[in-house]
Amino acid sequence: MSTYKIEIPESIKKDLQMFADRKHITLEEASARAFALLAIANTVSEQNNTLGVITKSKSADETSKVVGEITGV
């Protein structure tokens, strides 16, 4: 695994820390997951698609709904 030193805005660090606290993981693991999402978004973008955010359906007969889209990656 590679080691990098990056500088991020304090607001982003706060978001990552809130995520880490909610998931009971380290800030480093939260950052790694963020980079993993970036990698997925990049792969999807190369296929001329976008990464979406959906609400999960509560039952098999309900349809999940798209509530957001990650663009610009």
Side-chain angles (χ1 to χ4, degrees):
M1 183 181 302
S2 298
T3 300
Y4 295 94
K5 179 180 177 181
I6 61 170
E7 293 182 25
I8 58 172
E10 193 61 34
S11 61
I12 300 296
K13 183 179 177 187
K14 285 180 184 177
D15 286 340
L16 282 171
Q17 189 62 61
M18 286 190 325
F19 175 78
D21 292 344
R22 190 172 70 247
K23 296 294 186 178
H24 307 289
I25 59 175
T26 64
L27 183 60
E28 291 79 7
E29 176 63 21
S31 299
R33 291 183 187 189
F35 280 109
L37 281 174
L38 178 63
I40 293 167
N42 184 51
T43 299
V44 167
S45 176
E46 288 174 349
Q47 299 166 352
N48 293 321
N49 293 315
T50 58
L51 194 60
V53 180
I54 63 167
T55 56
K56 287 179 84 173
S57 58
K58 293 183 170 69
S59 64
D61 58 333
E62 275 187 37
T63 305
S64 297
K65 289 197 283 188
V66 175
V67 294
E69 179 182 26
I70 300 170
T71 59
V73 178

